[in-house]
mmCIF file of all heavy atoms in Angstrom:
data_model
loop_
_atom_site.group_PDB
_atom_site.id
_atom_site.type_symbol
_atom_site.label_atom_id
_atom_site.label_comp_id
_atom_site.label_asym_id
_atom_site.label_seq_id
_atom_site.Cartn_x
_atom_site.Cartn_y
_atom_site.Cartn_z
ATOM 1 N N ASP J 444 98.724 79.048 116.629
ATOM 2 C CA ASP J 444 98.933 80.442 117.031
ATOM 3 C C ASP J 444 100.305 80.890 116.539
ATOM 4 O O ASP J 444 101.288 80.137 116.628
ATOM 5 C CB ASP J 444 98.876 80.572 118.557
ATOM 6 C CG ASP J 444 97.460 80.366 119.094
ATOM 7 O OD1 ASP J 444 96.530 80.268 118.279
ATOM 8 O OD2 ASP J 444 97.317 80.290 120.319
ATOM 9 N N THR J 445 100.363 82.094 116.040
ATOM 10 C CA THR J 445 101.600 82.532 115.398
ATOM 11 C C THR J 445 101.776 84.025 115.556
ATOM 12 O O THR J 445 100.878 84.736 116.025
ATOM 13 C CB THR J 445 101.597 82.146 113.904
ATOM 14 O OG1 THR J 445 102.871 82.407 113.333
ATOM 15 C CG2 THR J 445 100.545 82.939 113.140
ATOM 16 N N THR J 446 102.946 84.496 115.169
ATOM 17 C CA THR J 446 103.261 85.929 115.169
ATOM 18 C C THR J 446 103.740 86.310 113.783
ATOM 19 O O THR J 446 104.562 85.613 113.190
ATOM 20 C CB THR J 446 104.348 86.258 116.210
ATOM 21 O OG1 THR J 446 103.872 85.905 117.509
ATOM 22 C CG2 THR J 446 104.685 87.735 116.183
ATOM 23 N N ILE J 447 103.204 87.418 113.264
ATOM 24 C CA ILE J 447 103.628 87.922 111.967
ATOM 25 C C ILE J 447 104.161 89.334 112.138
ATOM 26 O O ILE J 447 103.939 89.979 113.171
ATOM 27 C CB ILE J 447 102.485 87.911 110.943
ATOM 28 C CG1 ILE J 447 101.358 88.860 111.366
ATOM 29 C CG2 ILE J 447 101.949 86.500 110.746
ATOM 30 C CD1 ILE J 447 100.271 89.030 110.325
ATOM 31 N N CYS J 448 104.862 89.798 111.139
ATOM 32 C CA CYS J 448 105.391 91.156 111.163
ATOM 33 C C CYS J 448 104.306 92.151 110.755
ATOM 34 O O CYS J 448 103.434 91.835 109.945
ATOM 35 C CB CYS J 448 106.589 91.282 110.215
ATOM 36 S SG CYS J 448 107.986 90.211 110.646
ATOM 37 N N PHE J 449 104.360 93.321 111.313
ATOM 38 C CA PHE J 449 103.398 94.365 110.984
ATOM 39 C C PHE J 449 103.432 94.639 109.480
ATOM 40 O O PHE J 449 104.498 94.794 108.883
ATOM 41 C CB PHE J 449 103.728 95.645 111.752
ATOM 42 C CG PHE J 449 102.792 96.777 111.464
ATOM 43 C CD1 PHE J 449 101.556 96.843 112.078
ATOM 44 C CD2 PHE J 449 103.140 97.773 110.556
ATOM 45 C CE1 PHE J 449 100.681 97.889 111.814
ATOM 46 C CE2 PHE J 449 102.276 98.817 110.287
ATOM 47 C CZ PHE J 449 101.044 98.882 110.914
ATOM 48 N N GLY J 450 102.243 94.684 108.873
ATOM 49 C CA GLY J 450 102.144 94.915 107.444
ATOM 50 C C GLY J 450 102.086 93.644 106.623
ATOM 51 O O GLY J 450 101.752 93.694 105.441
ATOM 52 N N ASP J 451 102.429 92.496 107.245
ATOM 53 C CA ASP J 451 102.364 91.222 106.533
ATOM 54 C C ASP J 451 100.981 90.610 106.689
ATOM 55 O O ASP J 451 100.169 91.043 107.510
ATOM 56 C CB ASP J 451 103.420 90.245 107.062
ATOM 57 C CG ASP J 451 104.826 90.632 106.654
ATOM 58 O OD1 ASP J 451 104.954 91.548 105.811
ATOM 59 O OD2 ASP J 451 105.787 90.043 107.169
ATOM 60 N N SER J 452 100.723 89.594 105.893
ATOM 61 C CA SER J 452 99.490 88.825 106.001
ATOM 62 C C SER J 452 99.841 87.355 106.137
ATOM 63 O O SER J 452 100.978 86.942 105.875
ATOM 64 C CB SER J 452 98.595 89.049 104.771
ATOM 65 O OG SER J 452 99.257 88.640 103.586
ATOM 66 N N ILE J 453 98.864 86.550 106.536
ATOM 67 C CA ILE J 453 99.082 85.116 106.695
ATOM 68 C C ILE J 453 97.793 84.403 106.297
ATOM 69 O O ILE J 453 96.696 84.931 106.477
ATOM 70 C CB ILE J 453 99.478 84.760 108.152
ATOM 71 C CG1 ILE J 453 99.829 83.270 108.268
ATOM 72 C CG2 ILE J 453 98.386 85.141 109.123
ATOM 73 C CD1 ILE J 453 100.347 82.877 109.640
ATOM 74 N N GLN J 454 97.945 83.215 105.739
ATOM 75 C CA GLN J 454 96.789 82.407 105.368
ATOM 76 C C GLN J 454 96.510 81.406 106.484
ATOM 77 O O GLN J 454 97.406 80.694 106.934
ATOM 78 C CB GLN J 454 97.050 81.671 104.055
ATOM 79 C CG GLN J 454 95.828 80.965 103.483
ATOM 80 C CD GLN J 454 96.111 80.353 102.131
ATOM 81 O OE1 GLN J 454 97.000 79.512 101.986
ATOM 82 N NE2 GLN J 454 95.363 80.760 101.121
ATOM 83 N N LEU J 455 95.275 81.380 106.932
ATOM 84 C CA LEU J 455 94.848 80.433 107.958
ATOM 85 C C LEU J 455 94.264 79.207 107.275
ATOM 86 O O LEU J 455 93.460 79.327 106.350
ATOM 87 C CB LEU J 455 93.804 81.072 108.879
ATOM 88 C CG LEU J 455 94.203 82.410 109.516
ATOM 89 C CD1 LEU J 455 93.084 82.906 110.415
ATOM 90 C CD2 LEU J 455 95.502 82.284 110.286
ATOM 91 N N ASN J 456 94.665 78.038 107.711
ATOM 92 C CA ASN J 456 94.212 76.790 107.092
ATOM 93 C C ASN J 456 93.392 75.971 108.080
ATOM 94 O O ASN J 456 93.605 76.029 109.298
ATOM 95 C CB ASN J 456 95.418 75.973 106.605
ATOM 96 C CG ASN J 456 96.181 76.700 105.510
ATOM 97 O OD1 ASN J 456 95.605 77.150 104.536
ATOM 98 N ND2 ASN J 456 97.487 76.823 105.683
ATOM 99 N N THR J 457 92.450 75.214 107.537
ATOM 100 C CA THR J 457 91.552 74.410 108.351
ATOM 101 C C THR J 457 91.453 73.009 107.766
ATOM 102 O O THR J 457 91.896 72.749 106.645
ATOM 103 C CB THR J 457 90.143 75.018 108.381
ATOM 104 O OG1 THR J 457 89.651 75.088 107.030
ATOM 105 C CG2 THR J 457 90.155 76.409 108.985
ATOM 106 N N LYS J 458 90.858 72.129 108.553
ATOM 107 C CA LYS J 458 90.552 70.812 108.002
ATOM 108 C C LYS J 458 89.323 70.924 107.105
ATOM 109 O O LYS J 458 88.597 71.926 107.124
ATOM 110 C CB LYS J 458 90.335 69.802 109.116
ATOM 111 C CG LYS J 458 89.069 69.992 109.944
ATOM 112 C CD LYS J 458 88.975 68.929 111.029
ATOM 113 C CE LYS J 458 87.675 69.032 111.821
ATOM 114 N NZ LYS J 458 87.598 68.014 112.887
ATOM 115 N N SER J 459 89.086 69.898 106.326
ATOM 116 C CA SER J 459 88.006 69.937 105.344
ATOM 117 C C SER J 459 86.654 70.063 106.033
ATOM 118 O O SER J 459 86.367 69.383 107.014
ATOM 119 C CB SER J 459 88.049 68.671 104.486
ATOM 120 O OG SER J 459 86.976 68.639 103.576
ATOM 121 N N ALA J 460 85.822 70.947 105.502
ATOM 122 C CA ALA J 460 84.463 71.138 106.009
ATOM 123 C C ALA J 460 83.590 71.627 104.864
ATOM 124 O O ALA J 460 84.083 72.037 103.811
ATOM 125 C CB ALA J 460 84.448 72.118 107.170
ATOM 126 N N LEU J 461 82.286 71.578 105.086
ATOM 127 C CA LEU J 461 81.360 72.026 104.050
ATOM 128 C C LEU J 461 81.193 73.533 104.037
ATOM 129 O O LEU J 461 81.048 74.137 102.979
ATOM 130 C CB LEU J 461 79.989 71.369 104.263
ATOM 131 C CG LEU J 461 79.926 69.853 104.057
ATOM 132 C CD1 LEU J 461 78.553 69.342 104.439
ATOM 133 C CD2 LEU J 461 80.244 69.495 102.615
ATOM 134 N N GLU J 462 81.188 74.149 105.204
ATOM 135 C CA GLU J 462 80.995 75.587 105.294
ATOM 136 C C GLU J 462 81.886 76.138 106.399
ATOM 137 O O GLU J 462 82.213 75.438 107.363
ATOM 138 C CB GLU J 462 79.536 75.932 105.594
ATOM 139 C CG GLU J 462 78.545 75.539 104.510
ATOM 140 C CD GLU J 462 77.111 75.846 104.915
ATOM 141 O OE1 GLU J 462 76.909 76.608 105.886
ATOM 142 O OE2 GLU J 462 76.186 75.310 104.273
ATOM 143 N N TYR J 463 82.238 77.415 106.237
ATOM 144 C CA TYR J 463 83.063 78.103 107.230
ATOM 145 C C TYR J 463 82.479 79.489 107.484
ATOM 146 O O TYR J 463 81.939 80.123 106.579
ATOM 147 C CB TYR J 463 84.504 78.264 106.739
ATOM 148 C CG TYR J 463 85.188 76.973 106.355
ATOM 149 C CD1 TYR J 463 85.098 76.487 105.052
ATOM 150 C CD2 TYR J 463 85.925 76.241 107.283
ATOM 151 C CE1 TYR J 463 85.725 75.309 104.679
ATOM 152 C CE2 TYR J 463 86.559 75.063 106.920
ATOM 153 C CZ TYR J 463 86.451 74.596 105.624
ATOM 154 O OH TYR J 463 87.074 73.429 105.257
ATOM 155 N N CYS J 464 82.633 79.934 108.726
ATOM 156 C CA CYS J 464 82.231 81.297 109.067
ATOM 157 C C CYS J 464 83.264 81.854 110.047
ATOM 158 O O CYS J 464 83.334 81.401 111.193
ATOM 159 C CB CYS J 464 80.834 81.325 109.672
ATOM 160 S SG CYS J 464 80.283 82.989 110.104
ATOM 161 N N TRP J 465 84.081 82.823 109.575
ATOM 162 C CA TRP J 465 85.153 83.411 110.385
ATOM 163 C C TRP J 465 84.693 84.742 110.960
ATOM 164 O O TRP J 465 83.917 85.468 110.359
ATOM 165 C CB TRP J 465 86.391 83.644 109.538
ATOM 166 C CG TRP J 465 87.128 82.413 109.120
ATOM 167 C CD1 TRP J 465 86.896 81.656 108.012
ATOM 168 C CD2 TRP J 465 88.224 81.798 109.798
ATOM 169 N NE1 TRP J 465 87.787 80.607 107.951
ATOM 170 C CE2 TRP J 465 88.616 80.669 109.038
ATOM 171 C CE3 TRP J 465 88.922 82.080 110.965
ATOM 172 C CZ2 TRP J 465 89.667 79.844 109.412
ATOM 173 C CZ3 TRP J 465 89.971 81.263 111.345
ATOM 174 C CH2 TRP J 465 90.334 80.156 110.580
ATOM 175 N N SER J 466 85.247 85.060 112.120
ATOM 176 C CA SER J 466 85.042 86.378 112.711
ATOM 177 C C SER J 466 86.258 86.703 113.589
ATOM 178 O O SER J 466 86.940 85.780 114.060
ATOM 179 C CB SER J 466 83.769 86.388 113.557
ATOM 180 O OG SER J 466 83.906 85.486 114.658
#
Side-chain angles (χ1 to χ4, degrees):
D444 290 353
T445 188
T446 299
I447 64 173
C448 299
F449 180 80
D451 288 350
S452 60
I453 185 175
Q454 189 175 59
L455 307 181
N456 296 309
T457 59
K458 69 180 184 181
S459 177
L461 293 174
E462 296 177 15
Y463 304 89
C464 180
W465 289 88
S466 64

